[in-house]
Amino acid sequence: MDPGHVVHTFGGRREEIERRGEAEVDLGGRVFRIRREFLDDIAAQPQAERIHRLRHALLVLHSPTDETVGVENAQRILDAARHPKSFIAIDGADHLLTDRADARYVATMLAAWADRYARGPIGSGPT
């Protein structure tokens, strides 16, 4: 939920970003140029408030083996959200869903979950 958690994935590059104004960072095998403004922007995001104000169904997916984002992040999102909200654990998946079977599973679950809410609020129309 806290976008600042991504900073830990920068390794020792945060200091360079702050000192030089930017640095190249490898994230999931891809190189990105990260600027100081990005650090400032993510530090100023009131995500808990935004999530709490949502007026839509929310689905949180997380893998217990995700090495990029800890499950406590998913828990904070769920705690901030109002109902309807759902959680699906994707056991054994990595953060980027690089395994096709994991990606297929997530797509199937997402489609089934979204079908329930795509027609509007529960009880608002035909099923």
Side-chain angles (χ1 to χ4, degrees), residues 69-81:
V69 177
V71 71
E72 65 280 354
N73 205 10
Q75 184 63 55
R76 286 194 302 268
I77 292 169
L78 288 169
D79 288 346

Side-chain angles (χ1 to χ4, degrees), residues 110-119:
L110 178 58
W113 181 89
D115 183 60
R116 178 176 182 103
Y117 299 104
R119 293 171 283 203

Side-chain angles (χ1 to χ4, degrees), residues 13-125:
R13 310 294 273 183
R14 179 182 186 153
E15 293 77 22
E16 181 181 352
I17 296 166
E18 290 174 346
R19 187 179 69 253
R20 292 185 51 230
E22 66 181 25
E24 289 188 351
V25 177
D26 184 313
L27 300 172
R30 295 178 58 197
V31 177
F32 296 88
R33 181 170 303 279
I34 305 296
R35 294 190 170 90
R36 184 180 305 125
E37 292 84 3
F38 178 75
L39 297 179
D40 295 342
D41 187 45
I42 61 174
Q45 298 301 314
Q47 293 303 85
E49 179 184 327
R50 287 179 176 150
I51 291 168
H52 185 71
R53 287 194 326 250
L54 285 176
R55 299 279 186 237
H56 301 282
L58 179 69
L59 173 62
V60 176
L61 300 113
H62 190 272
S63 171
T65 56
D66 187 336
E67 295 180 8
T68 304
V69 177
V71 71
E72 65 280 354
N73 205 10
Q75 184 63 55
R76 286 194 302 268
I77 292 169
L78 288 169
D79 288 346
R82 297 177 183 183
H83 286 283
K85 57 186 173 182
S86 303
F87 176 82
I88 298 175
I90 311 146
D91 191 37
D94 62 26
H95 188 73
L96 297 177
L97 298 173
T98 56
D99 183 285
R100 287 181 75 82
D102 292 335
R104 194 172 312 119
Y105 172 75
V106 166
T108 300
M109 296 302 292
L110 178 58
W113 181 89
D115 183 60
R116 178 176 182 103
Y117 299 104
R119 293 171 283 203
I122 294 177
S124 67

